[in-house]
């Protein structure tokens, strides 16, 4: 928005009707999110429409069946009937969340435009020769400073749920703290992160068979800490998983409530269950690790790893690294 | 509905406003689906409200920014601003899908009521002693007849996309056909099933290291068949996975477009990627298989496997089989 003369609420609201559609950039979340590119005054703007959650208070839910408009029956069969309808417009039960980005640059458009998903198989060799050197670059340039600040107790100290120094084995220490996306109170959507202290495990690719006892004990400590802090959460209601590829290359485990709606972030091809990964490791020959196996996963076709590594590999004659 | 005098569309529509809320049974899909129990005339009824997808035709999208009602700005910062609003009610752009089940029995209420999710670890021993005998019962009583009818060519013959008899190895044959949930035309939501001919593999638990070459070749054939039939789908845009536990105990592989919005059905703890499962098998000692490892997965706490097997095990003193 205009920084020289900050806008008031009303002015910001008057922007919306002025938006003129250029084209649809994306539709996702089962069609319930729509991202538009348009013109707003002289500049380009991105507008995101998203269906809101339905109300859950009895006062708002109770009148709904008798106040819907344009009710249309589509069919019925035995005890089942299905319909379409419009909820009555009101300030209490909005059906749309709108985000506006204005003025939007080409970089914003790229970020919000539909991204294709590629399935890639990263063999042991592709990892060693192509991906690992790329990851090494990602780890540089101070990008992990925020992790080290947490581990060293310089930031977010008050958020830490569990700080396990590892006792006689400092290599086995870890921290447990809330994920940024969790509101820190709604238990069915609980989302925590366990960050290990050691800095030599970049991702699950660096896990060795020899790490199984450590990680099994760490899992136990995480579950004990969470169920002690939140007694209404059962030990058998926690899902632990890692991402591959992860967003940042310092080994961490996601801890979520099993009731949390699983979306793309928990999908096979992205999320690897901790327990099944440990079972996989346990079955490998002594001395082996996940750097020795083929891993298949999904990548956005505008992600840097696709554009830097897998895209060029897929174009090569030998197709090394291509999902095909 | 009343079977003696079938209702017309108008009568079925008049039912909705008569619904009187008793209580909310469930809220899921990130809050965008709400399941209600209520009274309708003398009987109980279940009503499901679900947010619809947003429109995508230019004629319907274009006017949206200038016709929203109760627009309210929640805040803005630099180039970002966020709002809530109500879309104008209309027959063309309904925001609600409604399902009515009436009269509803106790069994319907149970089915639609929120189900807890449990995380269980099925060790090698729990599988052999408790789960396998339970699965054996599930396979009986003609429950797989529909699968055998397809495999033997008695039903759905015209739907089969690929029938591979396995050549000299009839044990390696399989069928490829559309999943029931796919509309058979929208490629980004493509969903197929590969059913193997052999009947001795009940689930991925029966996969052996020795099966890796067969399943690797089967994967190749599936991808070739799909990309030949649908040339706009790339070989690196297909996700293959199995469920554990599966819905039915005859080995089958799900084949979906990587762009398909992944929900609970693709979540870690339920879906096991085919390629990663093959990599896991390949790393096991010769002669071993997935019946030898621990598998961790999620189960609804009203699923028969939980109530019959894991629930009772979790209650036992030794806690065998409990996720904890």
């Amino acid at each position: 928005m205009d920084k020289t003369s900050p806008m008031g609420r009303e002015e910001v609201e008057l922007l919306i009707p002025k938006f003129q559609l250029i084209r649809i950039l994306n539709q996702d979340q089962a069609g319930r999110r729509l991202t538009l590119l348009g013109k707003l005054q002289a500049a380009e703007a991105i507008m995101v429409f998203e269906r809101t959650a339905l109300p859950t208070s009895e006062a708002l839910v109770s009148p709904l069946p008798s106040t819907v408009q344009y009710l249309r029956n589509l069919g019925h069969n035995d005890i089942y009937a299905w319909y379409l309808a419009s909820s009555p417009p009101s300030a209490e039960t909005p059906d749309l969340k709108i985000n506006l980005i204005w003025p939007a640059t080409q970089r914003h458009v790229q970020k919000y435009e539909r991204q294709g998903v590629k399935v890639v198989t990263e063999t042991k060799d592709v990892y060693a020769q192509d991906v690992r050197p790329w990851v090494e670059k990602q780890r540089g340039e101070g990008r992990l400073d925020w992790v080290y600040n947490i581990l060293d107790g310089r930031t977010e100290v008050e958020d830490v749920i569990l700080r396990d120094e590892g006792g006689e084995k400092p290599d086995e220490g870890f921290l447990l703290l809330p994920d940024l996306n969790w509101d820190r109170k709604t238990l069915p959507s609980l989302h925590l992160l366990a960050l290990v202290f050691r800095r030599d495990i970049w991702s699950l690719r660096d896990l060795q068979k020899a790490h199984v006892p450590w990680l099994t004990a760490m899992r136990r400590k995480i579950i004990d800490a969470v169920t002690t802090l939140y007694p209404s959460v059962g030990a058998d209601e926690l899902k632990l998983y890692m991402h591959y590829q992860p967003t940042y290359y310092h080994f961490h485990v996601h801890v979520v409530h099993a009731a949390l709606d699983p979306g793309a972030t928990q999908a096979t091809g992205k999320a690897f269950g901790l327990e099944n990964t440990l079972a996989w490791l346990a079955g490998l020959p002594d001395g082996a690790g996940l750097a020795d196996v083929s891993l298949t996963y999904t990548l956005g076709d505008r992600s840097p790893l696709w554009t830097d590594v897998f895209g060029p590999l897929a174009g090569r004659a030998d197709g090394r690294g291509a999902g095909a």
Side-chain angles (χ1 to χ4, degrees), chain A residues 64-290:
Chain A
L64 205 48
S66 56
T67 55
V68 291
Q69 301 175 17
Y70 296 95
L71 180 70
R72 187 156 50 99
N73 174 244
L74 301 177
H76 67 278
N77 179 5
D78 191 33
I79 62 166
Y80 302 94
W82 45 103
Y83 310 80
L84 288 172
S86 285
S87 56
S90 88
E92 287 80 39
T93 56
D95 68 308
L96 294 175
K97 224 159 56 183
I98 305 176
N99 288 338
L100 178 68
I101 302 167
W102 177 70
T105 64
Q106 206 44 40
R107 205 173 49 81
H108 292 108
V109 176
Q110 262 174 28
K111 185 179 161 196
Y112 282 86
E113 196 157 33
R114 183 167 200 90
Q115 191 169 176
V117 180
K118 295 291 191 179
V119 179
V120 298
T121 292
E122 181 184 288
T123 62
K124 172 185 171 163
D125 290 343
V126 169
Y127 177 65
Q129 292 164 34
D130 303 288
V131 176
R132 199 168 203 284
W134 181 89
V135 171
E136 193 158 20
K137 258 186 276 168
Q138 308 305 308
R139 282 176 50 95
E141 303 162 23
R143 286 194 207 178
L144 289 174
D145 287 352
W146 69 272
V147 175
Y148 301 150
N149 283 336
I150 294 173
L151 293 176
D152 295 344
R154 285 190 293 271
T155 53
E156 300 188 43
V157 178
E158 64 284 0
D159 293 333
V160 169
I161 287 170
L162 175 66
R163 187 181 180 94
D164 185 297
E165 302 281 359
E168 285 168 19
K169 297 175 181 168
D171 254 8
E172 304 199 347
F174 68 96
L175 269 189
L176 188 64
L177 78 174
D179 182 85
L180 278 180
N181 293 313
W182 185 43
D183 65 9
R184 305 185 181 202
K185 53 176 197 274
T186 313
L187 288 182
S189 51
L190 176 129
H191 190 164
L192 309 173
L193 289 177
L195 298 170
V196 303
F197 279 123
R198 55 192 292 178
R199 301 181 181 192
D200 59 334
I201 302 184
W202 299 359
S203 74
L204 57 77
R205 268 291 188 190
D206 287 324
L207 295 183
Q208 300 279 325
K209 180 175 184 167
H211 293 142
V212 172
W214 161 44
L215 292 169
T216 305
M218 181 167 121
R219 171 181 179 273
R220 182 76 265 164
K221 288 175 186 172
I222 292 170
I223 290 176
D224 286 347
V226 177
T227 54
T228 302
L229 187 63
Y230 306 110
S232 69
V233 177
D236 58 2
E237 291 179 314
L238 291 172
K239 254 168 111 165
L240 287 77
Y241 60 88
M242 291 81 68
H243 281 147
Y244 195 75
Q245 300 280 341
T247 311
Y248 51 95
Y249 291 92
H250 177 97
F251 186 67
H252 58 284
V253 178
H254 295 264
V255 181
V256 302
H257 197 293
L260 182 62
D261 265 321
T265 192
Q266 286 192 28
T268 179
K270 171 78 182 168
F272 288 73
L274 173 64
E275 297 85 353
N276 290 326
T277 303
L278 294 180
W280 185 348
L281 280 166
L284 290 177
D286 288 341
L290 288 185

Side-chain angles (χ1 to χ4, degrees), chain A residues 269-313:
Chain A
K270 171 78 182 168
F272 288 73
L274 173 64
E275 297 85 353
N276 290 326
T277 303
L278 294 180
W280 185 348
L281 280 166
L284 290 177
D286 288 341
L290 288 185
D292 304 309
V293 308
S294 277
L295 291 177
T296 299
Y297 56 89
T298 54
L299 267 185
D301 67 4
R302 283 204 305 278
S303 67
L305 186 55
W306 174 263
T307 52
D308 294 353
V309 178
F310 282 96
L313 279 179

